[in-house]
Amino acid sequence: MSDSDITMIGIMGRWQGGAGDRLKEAALSLFRTQGYDGTTVAEIAAAAGVTERTFFRHYADKREVLFVDQGEFERAFLTGLPETGADPMRLIAAVLDSAATLFPEQRRTWSRARQTVITTTVALQERELLKMSALAAALTRALTARGIDPTSAALAAESGVTVFRTAFTVWVDPAEDRTFPVIQQTVLARLHALIGQ
Amino acid sequence: MSDSDITMIGIMGRWQGGAGDRLKEAALSLFRTQGYDGTTVAEIAAAAGVTERTFFRHYADKREVLFVDQGEFERAFLTGLPETGADPMRLIAAVLDSAATLFPEQRRTWSRARQTVITTTVALQERELLKMSALAAALTRALTARGIDPTSAALAAESGVTVFRTAFTVWVDPAEDRTFPVIQQTVLARLHALIGQ
């Protein structure tokens, strides 16, 4: 077992080691050491101790392996949508509080490692942007279903995604030690201060 | 000359018909009739009356042909950045006014046709998202260069891009007839009303 393997087991420690998680772990380790383009699905599967067939049962292709299921991701936000209320930014604030549970402290080392790979790989940046775009569309639909007009719904949803992404960027900064919920609330307050002038 | 060709010449009427513009025209026409995936660079070049070599002098690949040069796109925003001033959202408002010149009324028919292709083609949606992400990064850099802190700069820049994209979506709606500058100012005012609460 190499030092790099030991580091990755440390990073992934909180996960129980199902095949899907082992594949994520193996993929991140390989992407970091030999680059995204230089890594094949066969190598990821071999490093995780599974067959390629198992890889493709979990992920559609190499680009998907570092991403959680989009439906699961969106549900982490939408479960926080209050049953009542019509002020778009209050609804968004509740949704963001709910999404903060996606990033407990024990996930931070993994998220930092993942982020270094994503920011240096155009294909993964595109995938990340699509994920955020689909999230904004889902939040827009949820707000319009509440009777909020489409333009206000889109602006509130996009603003929520902006706050979430900005908070995430701060959270994975190696020099930052505040928790995700604290950072996100600070960023949301900053947005209100900036735009409320 | 088919009816479809005549329609496209009408759509592109304002352009003078340099090879780059003829390639855009041919690409949009082919993407609409036979789909993005079903269209090759060779077909686009042939329809524009140029060689493939000429295509690749203008565009890196098929995905690029419906997009303007990123530097040119960003300059349309950044030329509007006032020489002085430190309030991030005032700077962004000026930048958005400047960018509105990208969309005169004579471009509207073309923009509507282009949008129908982009919204139905994942590869082009990804390209569009990358373009907007790079724009937000450029605006963030311009604001931080003014001494604005990175988080405020990112939030203001992302909010500006949100207003721009939302205004564009409204502008290309077939049922909408207000001009781009009017729509964009309305959307910006809506954002202030929403978030300033």
Side-chain angles (χ1 to χ4, degrees):
Chain A
M1 183 176 286
S2 73
D3 284 355
S4 159
D5 289 338
I6 291 167
T7 303
M8 289 310 300
I9 287 171
I11 287 174
M12 304 287 294
R14 63 178 281 266
W15 286 339
Q16 292 307 305
D21 288 344
R22 289 209 313 281
L23 285 163
K24 279 188 194 300
E25 174 180 355
L28 182 57
S29 180
L30 289 166
F31 293 167
R32 291 176 89 193
T33 52
Q34 61 193 45
Y36 174 82
D37 290 331
T39 301
T40 64
V41 165
E43 289 173 309
I44 297 168
V50 302
T51 62
E52 278 191 71
R53 194 188 175 99
T54 298
F55 179 96
F56 288 114
R57 269 210 305 275
H58 285 84
Y59 305 106
D61 56 41
K62 186 175 76 169
R63 206 173 74 146
E64 295 302 311
V65 67
L66 294 186
F67 292 85
V68 297
D69 175 76
Q70 182 76 22
E72 195 181 313
F73 177 66
E74 292 174 8
R75 275 191 296 279
F77 290 78
L78 292 170
T79 56
L81 192 67
E83 291 290 328
T84 57
D87 176 61
M89 287 306 293
R90 278 182 195 272
L91 295 173
I92 287 295
V95 159
L96 291 175
D97 281 346
S98 168
T101 60
L102 285 168
F103 304 116
E105 283 307 294
Q106 62 266 38
R107 191 157 183 181
R108 200 161 186 167
T109 307
W110 158 263
S111 291
R112 282 176 172 146
R114 175 181 175 281
Q115 192 65 9
T116 62
V117 170
I118 290 191
T119 53
T120 53
T121 311
V122 172
L124 297 177
Q125 281 170 38
E126 289 180 355
R127 178 64 181 77
E128 183 80 13
L129 290 170
L130 270 185
K131 175 175 110 175
M132 293 300 173
S133 175
L135 170 64
L139 296 178
T140 300
R141 284 193 300 274
L143 294 180
T144 50
R146 287 296 181 82
I148 295 166
D149 73 274
T151 300
S152 296
L155 290 172
E158 293 282 357
S159 298
V161 173
T162 290
V163 168
F164 173 76
R165 289 174 55 204
T166 304
F168 182 81
T169 302
V170 173
W171 186 62
V172 294
D173 185 320
E176 176 61 56
D177 61 5
R178 291 171 298 166
T179 64
F180 188 88
V182 167
I183 294 168
Q184 189 172 246
Q185 282 166 16
T186 306
V187 172
L188 180 58
R190 179 79 62 91
L191 182 74
H192 279 283
L194 262 183
I195 301 197
Q197 289 171 6
Chain B
M1 185 177 282
S2 73
D3 286 355
S4 159
D5 291 336
I6 291 166
T7 303
M8 289 308 299
I9 286 170
I11 286 174
M12 303 285 295
R14 64 177 282 266
W15 286 338
Q16 291 308 308
D21 288 344
R22 288 210 312 281
L23 285 162
K24 279 188 194 299
E25 173 181 357
L28 182 57
S29 179
L30 288 167
F31 293 167
R32 291 175 89 193
T33 51
Q34 60 193 46
Y36 174 83
D37 290 332
T39 300
T40 64
V41 165
E43 289 172 308
I44 297 168
V50 302
T51 62
E52 278 192 72
R53 194 187 174 99
T54 297
F55 179 96
F56 288 115
R57 269 209 307 273
H58 285 84
Y59 306 106
D61 56 40
K62 186 175 76 170
R63 207 172 72 146
E64 295 302 313
V65 67
L66 294 186
F67 292 85
V68 298
D69 175 75
Q70 183 75 21
E72 194 181 315
F73 178 66
E74 292 173 8
R75 274 191 296 280
F77 290 78
L78 291 171
T79 56
L81 192 66
E83 291 291 327
T84 58
D87 176 60
M89 287 307 292
R90 278 182 196 270
L91 295 173
I92 287 295
V95 158
L96 291 176
D97 280 346
S98 168
T101 61
L102 285 169
F103 304 115
E105 283 306 293
Q106 62 265 39
R107 193 159 182 178
R108 199 161 187 168
T109 307
W110 157 263
S111 292
R112 281 176 173 146
R114 175 182 175 280
Q115 191 66 10
T116 61
V117 170
I118 290 191
T119 53
T120 54
T121 310
V122 172
L124 297 177
Q125 282 171 39
E126 289 180 355
R127 178 65 183 75
E128 183 81 12
L129 290 170
L130 269 186
K131 175 175 109 176
M132 294 300 172
S133 174
L135 170 64
L139 296 178
T140 300
R141 284 194 300 274
L143 295 180
T144 52
R146 289 296 182 83
I148 295 166
D149 73 274
T151 299
S152 296
L155 290 172
E158 293 282 356
S159 297
V161 173
T162 291
V163 168
F164 173 77
R165 288 173 56 203
T166 304
F168 183 81
T169 303
V170 173
W171 186 63
V172 294
D173 184 321
E176 177 60 55
D177 60 6
R178 290 171 298 166
T179 65
F180 189 87
V182 168
I183 294 168
Q184 189 171 246
Q185 283 166 15
T186 307
V187 172
L188 180 58
R190 179 78 63 90
L191 182 73
H192 279 283
L194 262 181
I195 302 196
Q197 287 171 8

